[in-house]
Amino acid sequence: MHAFDTSIVEHIEIKMIRPSQFSIRDKFNDYQEVESLVSSIKEHGLLQPILIRPYQNNFEIVAGHRRFYACKSLRWRHIPCKIREMNDKQAFEIQLTENIQRKSMSALEEAEAFRKYVQDLGWGGVTELAKKIGKSEEYVSHRIQLLKLPQDVKEKIMLNKLSVSQALELTTLSPSNIVQFTDHIIENELTIRQIREVKAVFSKEGLSGDDLELIANENINLKNIKTLKITKKTTLALKITLARLDSIIEEVQLNFEPEQSTDVVSFLMDMRLKIHSLIDDTIRFKNTKITKTAKYLKGSVN
């Protein structure tokens, strides 16, 4: 049974209408969309009235902000409105659902709106919100997790340098590793599978930025800093290669007959030893540089 719609459609003076108190869209994006709407409304008129509600002796927009601003910029005195009584929670839900259906919000805008609903305003849990907007609980909770990331990582998401899926993989890392890891993902254009392989290596080897703390002194020369960064990347790349090689060896052992696999596995194991040797060489080189850096810092302090 459908709820009875008690809305009224009328032309309301624009000066009596105010924007929503719940800002869930980036204003810069709104401005760009308003500009494109103006020419359409000039040619075809306003095809759909905006949705408003009575609020503090005037009216508040629930849905249709860009249509409202487009008409206002055209100097309209009145605008067609659908007027409906609703509380703050209902208004927020309608505004959020409309923007999600139109796919007009960025991932971080959605995340902020979801957090506001669940945590800041306490209107309901993830399950309730997911049902209201027609999304899965996982979708809602994953968006909220994005807000835990550092601001510079969020900026990379906004600039489309980092996808939402890639960013979600970062939320399980320790804060000290996130920025370094983000740069590695972007520079090497890693897939989700590759990111998880790298994370497995980080976890297994206990990697962190601790061994770079020795160079956190403004007096250290740039050449040593760059060298240490490159050796760190080299070690990581070799360990990823080793993990992938182990996966190939396992695949051969599972899918080849014993008489077929012997030579292949022997070859791959030999490659494995060589990679181990390269890792050891890289670590020795890095440690040598760290020792020299430490001596330099000690000399600078003295």
Side-chain angles (χ1 to χ4, degrees):
M1 185 175 177
H2 297 289
F4 183 69
D5 187 0
T6 57
S7 304
I8 297 172
V9 178
E10 287 188 13
H11 282 70
I12 303 294
E13 279 193 87
I14 280 181
K15 68 180 182 180
M16 295 179 64
I17 302 170
R18 51 162 281 180
S20 171
Q21 59 186 298
F22 305 113
S23 178
I24 63 173
R25 287 288 311 281
D26 182 84
K27 289 182 180 178
F28 177 72
N29 290 335
D30 281 357
Y31 176 77
Q32 289 179 315
E33 290 185 27
V34 168
E35 289 295 300
S36 66
L37 270 174
V38 167
S39 58
S40 174
I41 292 173
K42 274 183 181 178
E43 184 175 353
H44 305 291
L46 186 63
L47 301 179
Q48 183 182 9
I50 67 171
L51 178 62
I52 63 176
R53 64 170 179 154
Y55 189 81
Q56 295 181 354
N57 300 321
N58 279 298
F59 299 94
E60 182 184 77
I61 302 172
V62 176
H65 283 80
R66 283 154 293 288
R67 281 170 280 157
F68 171 79
Y69 286 119
C71 293
K72 191 174 182 180
S73 71
L74 290 169
R75 299 186 181 279
W76 285 21
R77 287 188 58 201
H78 297 80
I79 183 171
C81 298
K82 190 172 188 178
I83 310 164
R84 185 187 303 168
E85 287 278 3
M86 65 187 82
N87 58 33
D88 288 351
K89 181 172 180 283
Q90 291 168 328
F92 187 91
E93 288 169 355
I94 290 173
Q95 188 180 156
L96 182 55
T97 302
E98 184 203 38
N99 279 283
I100 287 175
Q101 288 176 348
R102 291 174 62 242
K103 297 182 179 178
S104 58
M105 298 173 72
S106 71
L108 288 170
E109 284 173 338
E110 287 184 0
E112 291 285 358
F114 295 168
R115 179 175 66 181
K116 183 180 288 187
Y117 185 97
V118 175
Q119 298 176 12
D120 299 350
L121 299 171
W123 280 335
V126 168
T127 302
E128 181 182 349
L129 176 57
K131 287 179 181 177
K132 293 285 186 182
I133 63 175
K135 295 289 184 180
S136 68
E137 292 179 35
E138 184 180 54
Y139 182 94
V140 174
S141 60
H142 279 178
R143 284 292 191 270
I144 294 174
Q145 284 178 36
L146 293 176
L147 299 177
K148 299 176 183 177
L149 295 171
Q151 184 57 35
D152 52 350
V153 177
K154 291 179 188 175
E155 287 172 5
K156 288 179 172 65
I157 299 172
M158 289 186 283
L159 293 170
N160 295 318
K161 292 182 177 180
L162 196 68
S163 72
V164 172
S165 297
Q166 289 172 322
L168 283 171
E169 293 295 330
L170 297 169
T171 59
T172 57
L173 292 173
S174 64
S176 60
N177 286 331
I178 288 177
V179 174
Q180 179 188 0
F181 208 101
T182 302
D183 292 339
H184 183 72
I185 290 171
I186 294 171
E187 288 170 14
N188 296 280
E189 299 180 353
L190 299 186
T191 64
I192 300 303
R193 180 179 176 180
Q194 290 170 329
I195 293 170
R196 288 173 181 170
E197 287 175 351
V198 176
K199 283 170 65 177
V201 172
F202 260 68
S203 176
K204 182 179 178 181
E205 303 296 334
L207 297 176
S208 70
D210 293 344
D211 59 349
L212 294 180
E213 287 184 5
L214 287 168
I215 62 172
N217 184 299
E218 60 184 6
N219 296 320
I220 192 65
N221 65 71
L222 186 59
K223 182 180 177 181
N224 278 346
I225 293 175
K226 288 182 176 179
T227 301
L228 285 174
K229 284 184 176 179
I230 289 298
T231 54
K232 183 108 178 180
K233 284 185 178 181
T234 304
T235 304
L236 183 57
L238 288 168
K239 287 180 177 179
I240 293 168
T241 303
L242 191 63
R244 289 176 180 167
L245 191 59
D246 285 342
S247 177
I248 294 171
I249 292 171
E250 184 179 354
E251 182 182 342
V252 170
Q253 291 172 332
L254 287 172
N255 298 301
F256 281 53
E257 295 297 328
E259 61 272 13
Q260 294 176 310
S261 66
T262 303
D263 289 343
V264 178
V265 170
S266 177
F267 168 74
L268 293 174
M269 291 300 290
D270 184 53
M271 292 296 296
R272 198 177 187 283
L273 286 172
K274 288 178 181 177
I275 294 170
H276 260 300
S277 179
L278 288 171
I279 291 172
D280 291 340
D281 290 344
T282 307
I283 291 172
R284 278 194 290 271
F285 179 77
K286 183 182 73 172
N287 289 341
T288 300
K289 286 293 179 182
I290 288 175
T291 301
K292 288 182 179 179
T293 299
K295 288 180 179 178
Y296 179 91
L297 287 174
K298 187 176 180 181
S300 297
V301 173
N302 293 337

